[in-house]
Amino acid sequence: TLYVAQESYEMFLQVSDDLGVTRQLRKCLPPADKRVALGIEFDVHHKTVAIPADKLERAIAMLKTWLSKRKASKKDLQSLMGVLNHLGAMIIAGRVYSAAILDTLRSSEFPVKLTTDFYRDIQMWYDFLTKSFPGKSIMKSAFLSVPNAVLSITVHKTSFLLAHDDD
């Protein structure tokens, strides 16, 4: 429950103070049923993960730009795959629509000419994000089946607690 998570958080603060551990206050947040980490919003009350609207809009704009490109550098392709991998963490089967993009990235010569299969992948992502994707997905975690659980998530050295309370 949120109450148990709050007690754990306060105990953590006390122990770290007793041990003289320095904390960055902007990274030390109390437990909540909703938290944003690495641009992903976790909501255990609704059991969803969501992409903030501004981030989704930037991804759609980027994909639209890629639909008109003819050639690409390795760096640009790596940046594109970084964005799609991030989105793929929330979109079931999202990586399936990145195969041709990955094949293009594996090219030995850059700039590389973009293929029809590459454009099909980009178009699939673009169509899905603009026409079908509501901006959130159901959280995939065994944690959600445990009543009154507290989930500790650590992402790139940032930890936070989410409390799942069935009451």
Side-chain angles (χ1 to χ4, degrees):
T1 69
L2 193 54
Y3 176 76
V4 172
Q6 183 64 35
E7 283 184 335
S8 297
Y9 174 73
E10 289 170 8
M11 185 182 308
F12 162 76
L13 293 177
Q14 184 61 51
V15 169
S16 62
D17 285 344
D18 292 348
L19 295 173
V21 175
T22 305
R23 295 183 309 270
Q24 290 186 8
L25 294 179
R26 66 182 176 86
K27 291 187 175 185
C28 198
L29 303 170
D33 63 354
K34 188 184 282 188
R35 184 75 71 211
V36 175
L38 285 180
I40 301 171
E41 181 181 279
F42 296 87
D43 184 335
V44 294
H45 181 71
H46 293 104
K47 299 177 173 110
T48 60
V49 290
I51 303 167
D54 62 323
K55 184 173 249 186
L56 185 57
E57 288 169 12
R58 285 193 309 269
I60 290 168
M62 179 195 66
L63 289 166
K64 189 173 184 179
T65 300
W66 275 95
L67 285 169
S68 63
K69 287 188 177 202
R70 296 292 161 235
K71 292 183 178 182
S73 70
K74 185 173 188 173
K75 183 178 178 180
D76 288 343
L77 286 167
Q78 289 171 331
S79 177
L80 171 65
M81 276 311 304
V83 171
L84 296 180
N85 277 333
H86 186 71
L87 294 173
M90 291 162 277
I91 299 169
I92 297 170
R95 291 186 181 198
V96 171
Y97 301 109
S98 300
I101 300 167
L102 282 171
D103 286 345
T104 305
L105 184 56
R106 292 183 187 113
S107 175
S108 59
E109 295 182 30
F110 290 95
V112 64
K113 185 178 179 195
L114 304 176
T115 65
T116 302
D117 288 339
F118 177 92
Y119 290 114
R120 283 186 189 131
D121 278 2
I122 295 293
Q123 189 68 55
M124 183 65 71
W125 274 100
Y126 182 80
D127 289 347
F128 178 72
L129 293 178
T130 58
K131 298 175 184 173
S132 304
F133 185 58
K136 62 178 78 175
S137 297
I138 295 172
M139 208 181 270
K140 301 174 281 186
S141 174
F143 151 77
L144 294 174
S145 64
V146 179
N148 303 321
V150 174
L151 174 66
S152 174
I153 298 176
T154 302
V155 183
H156 289 276
K157 299 181 183 177
T158 301
S159 296
F160 58 93
L161 298 174
L162 293 171
H164 171 50
D165 190 350
D166 282 342
D167 298 334

